[in-house]
Amino acid sequence: MSESTLSTLGTFDYAPAPESRAVVSLRPAYGLFIDGEFTEPGDHTLATVNPADEEVLAEVTTATDEDVDRAVAAARRAFDGVWSRTSPSERGKYLYRISRIIQDRARELAVLESLDNGKPIKESRDFDIPTAAAHFFYYAGWADKLSFAVPGAPRPRPLGVAAQVIPWNFPLLMLAWKIAPALAAGNTVVLKPAETTPLTALVFAEICQQAGLPPGVVNVVTGAGATGRALVAHPGIDKVAFTGSTDVGREIARTVAGTSKRVTLELGGKGANIVYEDAAVDQAVEGIVTGIFFNQGHVCCAGSRLLVQESVADEILHRLKERVARLRLGDPLDKNTDIGAVNSAAQLARIQDLARAGREEGGEGWSPDCQLPSRGYWFAPTIFTGVTQAHRIAREEIFGPVLSVLTFRTPEEAVQKANNTPYGLSAGVWTEKGSRMLWTANRLRAGVIWANTFNTFDPASPFGGYRESGYGREGGRHGLEAYLNG
């Protein structure tokens, strides 16, 4: 097609392409999942809402301390009486079965995740759900090979009962990250999903029933912060695994201090995305967009600080704005949508507060022209220039679609700025020179470093951070070590 013909076509308009909600069947109210059965909904409930329009999707029970006691007791009975005595190959079969059921119910789970979380359906459909299934498949293969999982420990043993508290940004995927290695290692689980996104965890409980998992091996207790605190502090817990904010991680560390509980914490981040002057521009721009605007920036390892070499800063910024202007914000169930809804009113208020602080401190905020829906929780993708390392938006985790842009002249300056943070979770490096890539990666203090890509995950690859980004690893062989005694 000739250039003149292309110029007459103008800008493409996208017809709405919404995914049907008919595949999802929700109960009006949910009880807890304890000892293989759902309880009747309790007297105290929380409403879980669709962040795109504030529609109440369902009521979920708030677990009491007594409910947590029952869930932990059920997990202990299952561990002592059934699961720890189940052969490793049989445990693997259950995990394979769960993986296949997730695949069979993938469309339902993807729609439900987008309804409850606000993320675009193409992300839940193409990333969250397939990757969750892949984690169960991966750890099913490890179940009868545990003697190779922990170096120097030929007969590793499970710890016992694991308390797992997961966040709202990747609800089913974070569930898979935690439950799959725990079960493969022979532990039983009490899981507490985030209060704003409990629905896929409750459907996962149905999947456990469908897979014939023995009662009590997986238990799900819903509620807010008090439920999580009761679970973490419970004396019947042997292992605590948490993904969430650094502040809550500190509270958990204080709670388990002085006990025999093992703990892993995957906390916040303020990842640097370093672009050198020799980087492939188009590739780097796509990586920058993926790094910060994927899942509305609700990603602990988001590349929320762009460090671009001064000589190409103007070109990168120009190309970046052109690309961001083409992102489509709107209905999460529309297959054309790139930017969905912010998960909650509280999170939207935090993003707005930090963006306001960025402007008050002298930063220049830019957003593309886009009409925000009148209902729901929405924030346009935003790029801040004129940012220094003293700005709050360059120091604090925003957990939203806000990018801070800083420049550097030399590789040494890039590394210094990238490491100037209390976090240590992720970083990205963009360059065509392998020696520069390795030089930079060796000097970055981050648990995960991507080379000419960003937000790329695999079940076989360990993930975790340092300093205020937590400790311990999830994924890969390393993810099993946290659930085994040597």
Side-chain angles (χ1 to χ4, degrees), residues 276-278 309 411 429-431 433-441:
Y276 283 109
E277 60 187 357
D278 66 324
Q309 198 152 17
V429 184
W430 300 83
T431 176
K433 296 180 180 178
S435 58
R436 179 174 289 167
M437 178 70 69
L438 293 172
W439 183 93
T440 306

Side-chain angles (χ1 to χ4, degrees), residues 54 64 89 94 114 157 178 197 204 230 264 278 294 326 350 371 410:
E54 303 175 63
T64 64
S89 60
Y94 282 110
S114 288
R157 303 180 309 278
K178 288 178 168 51
T197 54
F204 179 80
T264 51
D278 66 324
F294 175 64
R326 293 195 295 272
R350 172 167 174 79
Q371 186 174 356
T410 66

Side-chain angles (χ1 to χ4, degrees), residues 308-319:
V308 58
Q309 198 152 17
E310 212 172 77
S311 56
V312 292
D314 290 343
E315 180 186 5
I316 291 289
L317 191 58
H318 173 72
R319 299 281 282 276

